[in-house]
Amino acid sequence: MGGQWSEDKAKEVLLRTHTTVLSAQTILDLKRRIACKFFSVGKVFRNEALDWKHLFEFYQVEGIVVDPNANLRNLIGYLKEFYRKMDLQILR
C-alpha cells in the first residue's frame, strides 16, 4: 500500500474492464426475490494490443437466473431467447 490521495485523480474517467459489478450488486439484492432473471450487455475496455481481430473495446454479456426449479433445458431456452432478441436488435 502507500501513495498519496488525489481528489483530482479520483475524479478522472476510468474505463470499465468488466461488468461484474452489476452481477455482485444484483446477487446482493436477490435476498428478497425468488424466480427472477437479469441480463446485461455492457461495453468494456481492455489494454490489448490491436490487430485485425482484437480491439481494445467489446461488449460483455452476462446473465443471472434465479429459480429453484430451473434446469439445463431452461438455461438453453433462456440463451436461445436472449440471442434471438439480440439478433432482432442488430437487424433494426
Side-chain angles (χ1 to χ4, degrees):
M1 304 257 295
Q4 295 271 12
W5 167 255
S6 166
E7 188 171 344
D8 291 334
K9 186 72 171 170
K11 290 180 179 179
E12 289 182 10
V13 174
L14 178 65
L15 298 176
R16 183 169 55 178
T17 59
H18 53 79
T19 59
T20 307
V21 70
L22 172 67
S23 297
Q25 290 171 344
T26 302
I27 290 170
L28 181 65
D29 190 44
L30 291 179
K31 294 176 187 175
R32 299 183 282 282
R33 300 182 185 175
I34 298 294
C36 50
K37 302 175 212 114
F38 301 91
F39 291 90
S40 165
V41 179
K43 186 184 278 190
V44 295
F45 304 87
R46 298 285 166 88
N47 185 12
E48 304 272 340
L50 295 177
D51 63 30
W52 67 274
K53 63 179 183 173
H54 294 96
L55 296 175
F56 64 89
E57 67 180 28
F58 58 95
Y59 288 91
Q60 181 175 330
V61 178
E62 62 182 313
I64 301 169
V65 176
V66 177
D67 185 345
N69 300 313
N71 57 35
L72 183 59
R73 181 177 285 176
N74 297 127
L75 174 61
I76 292 168
Y78 295 142
L79 293 174
K80 284 182 178 179
E81 181 68 9
F82 179 81
Y83 286 108
R84 185 186 69 75
K85 288 183 177 183
M86 290 287 293
D87 280 344
L88 293 175
Q89 289 298 317
I90 292 170
L91 294 175
R92 286 184 186 175

